[in-house]
Amino acid sequence: MRFFLSRGPAAGSCEFREANDLGATIIKGRATAAELRGYIAKRVAEFGDARGSVPGLAVVLVGDDPASAIYVRNKARKTKEVGMVSFERRFPLEIEQSRLLDHIRDLNDDDRVHGILVQLPLPPQIDANAVLNSIDPSKDVDGFHVSNAGLLATGQNGMVPCTPLGCQILLRRHLGDLAGAEAVVLGRSNIVGKPMANLLLKDNCTVTLAHSRTRDLKDVCARADILVSAVGRARLIGGDWIKPGATVIDVGINRVPAPEKGVGKSKIVGDVNFESALQVAGAITPVPGGVGPMTIACLLSNTLAAAHRITGLADLRSFA
Ligand code: GUN
């Protein structure tokens, strides 16, 4: 049997899953993200009819890191595509913390803005926690404010970080009920690892949060029915780290040289050695086209949910 959980018909739709020659299912995050954005666009139009305005998302970028600039541009494009308003706030690398906090305060007070995201990383003169905790928790669409992190850690409803939320949607759609599954999360960041572990706990998995100091990492991973990797180490996880039939969610985005594409060319790969994992896993997300598109779709979903709560409209039914 390919899947450790036999729960009758698979939870996902046809275009969401694709079997490959080796039998493993490729979990197509891109298709699910497009579906989620379509759902959001409809709800945004309804919000406009009810409120006479549309939800607004402000993205704050400090400095000119090329990767961050690309992420911010993509976020702005997708925000507009679903009919929301995008506010971009760009600041020089050497901005003082107090000035940045002033700008966040302005966004907190701006009624057109329902979601605020400060792109990380921030330069060293800035205390990132101070900035993240200055965001109004009801507009904290990244879910990084300590009060939202605390709500998640204590099993209560708050804003959930976008990447783990996207992983949870993919897992639930693929496996249905996750209860009882042995889940291993690789990486202990506040952005992915810790909230992911909390979400899996909430879904009644038995969760191990592994990291760079974990002993016998390969053996720990090989126990997992659900393996989520967010360590940023290109192709660290080979097929021999994976339990046969496991569901593998690859959050890694690693740029590696690609001489086969030409001199000086590069490409993006995940934390998992995709080709060797395909021979063992029951299902796996590709990189690119897996978790990445879900992150932005979940950011839009959080912004819409924030707009509903802030303006007193009923909460949305969950997409997953
Ligand atoms: N930098 C890398 N990932 C993220 C994210 O999910 N949110 C923010 N704000 N910055 C990031």
Side-chain angles (χ1 to χ4, degrees), residues 68 71 75 117-121 132 142 144 162-163 191 295:
S68 292
Y71 287 135
K75 284 169 189 164
L117 176 147
V118 177
Q119 185 67 31
L120 301 175
L132 296 175
D142 252 334
F144 295 163
C162 306
T163 299
I191 295 180
T295 297

Side-chain angles (χ1 to χ4, degrees), residues 171-188:
L171 282 167
R172 284 182 174 178
R173 288 196 133 206
H174 178 64
L175 293 170
D177 185 5
L178 308 183
E182 188 89 39
V184 173
V185 179
L186 216 53
R188 53 181 155 177

